[in-house]
Amino acid sequence: QVQLLESGGGLVQAGGSLRLSCAASGRTFSSITMGWFRQAPGKERELVTRIIRSGGSTYYADSVKGRFTISRDNAKNTMYLQMNSLKPEDTAVYYCAASSRVFPVLKSEYNYWGQGTQVTVSS
């Protein structure tokens, strides 16, 4: 079992920055691949970015490339999402998720989910 707790969401103006954190417990953090998803009202939950166990490989959705940076600190059992140049279309509930697969592809391959944190970007 893995417990995940997000923090750092909030309201920010377009062009601003936010940093999300996801604290994990219950299983060796370094053995799990972590990801950030988001879900806007009326839309499906989508993968934003993913980082493998060692942190050596990352994936970003095209919509956030060059603006968002994922990282992890295995010593602190924590994952981060630095979000810069935020746009109103980034408004969503952001979820952290964990997968026992090294390179999960499908949303269903993420076994554990946090409760989510709201990010609102005003224009």
Side-chain angles (χ1 to χ4, degrees):
Q1 285 285 344
V2 177
Q3 292 78 45
L4 303 172
L5 182 62
E6 305 97 334
S7 61
L11 173 64
V12 64
Q13 287 189 332
S17 298
L18 280 174
R19 188 194 197 202
L20 305 183
S21 299
C22 174
S25 61
R27 181 174 171 176
T28 304
F29 184 69
S30 59
S31 70
I32 52 179
T33 288
M34 300 293 296
W36 286 101
F37 287 75
R38 68 185 181 186
Q39 187 167 19
K43 295 188 177 181
E44 291 205 4
R45 193 173 298 188
E46 62 174 358
L47 176 65
V48 175
T49 178
R50 180 263 291 143
I51 186 166
I52 67 169
R53 303 164 182 180
S54 65
S57 173
T58 57
Y59 162 86
Y60 293 94
D62 288 342
S63 58
V64 306
K65 278 181 183 176
R67 300 188 298 121
F68 289 12
T69 303
I70 189 172
S71 61
R72 64 190 295 163
D73 185 338
N74 288 346
K76 295 183 178 180
N77 289 357
T78 303
M79 174 180 65
Y80 305 97
L81 181 63
Q82 179 65 44
M83 304 185 294
N84 298 329
S85 302
L86 282 161
K87 305 176 181 179
E89 51 263 44
D90 294 318
T91 295
V93 177
Y94 283 71
Y95 298 89
C96 71
S99 175
S100 55
R101 293 181 178 265
V102 178
F103 294 103
V105 175
L106 303 175
K107 189 167 49 182
S108 59
E109 294 176 329
Y110 287 81
N111 314 89
Y112 306 100
W113 294 85
Q115 299 279 19
T117 185
Q118 177 70 47
V119 171
T120 302
V121 185
S122 63
S123 56

